[in-house]
Amino acid sequence: ELKLIESMMTEATRATFSSMSVGFQKQFLEDRDPHGNVQVAHIECEKLLVAMVEHELKQRKKAGTFSGKFSGISHYMGYE
């Protein structure tokens, strides 16, 4: 199912979507509201941001452009 959905995405969108864990991908694909919008309140945005920063820093470490440490801590502040 995810592969079919990815095949309909632009290259840039597919690259971003593929970089997320399956759990986050499913959160973006959950049921929509009556207007067809993604229910952003159901997406753990704070955890997604930490995961994406961690992924980017791993890539930079491999490339030798980052040598620091990162320990992301998320906190849900509510939405809407």
Side-chain angles (χ1 to χ4, degrees), residues 7 9 14 20 33 72 78:
S7 71
M9 296 177 179
R14 188 179 320 109
M20 298 178 201
D33 69 12

Side-chain angles (χ1 to χ4, degrees), residues 28-68:
F28 276 95
L29 299 174
E30 284 182 347
D31 292 333
R32 305 287 177 118
D33 69 12
H35 305 287
N37 301 314
V38 173
Q39 295 187 48
V40 179
H42 295 173
I43 298 171
E44 297 175 308
C45 297
E46 68 284 357
K47 292 180 182 177
L48 175 60
L49 181 60
V50 169
M52 293 180 85
V53 169
E54 288 172 343
H55 176 75
E56 177 65 24
L57 293 179
K58 284 180 187 175
Q59 297 302 318
R60 291 183 184 197
K61 272 193 177 185
K62 286 181 186 176
T65 58
F66 177 73
S67 61

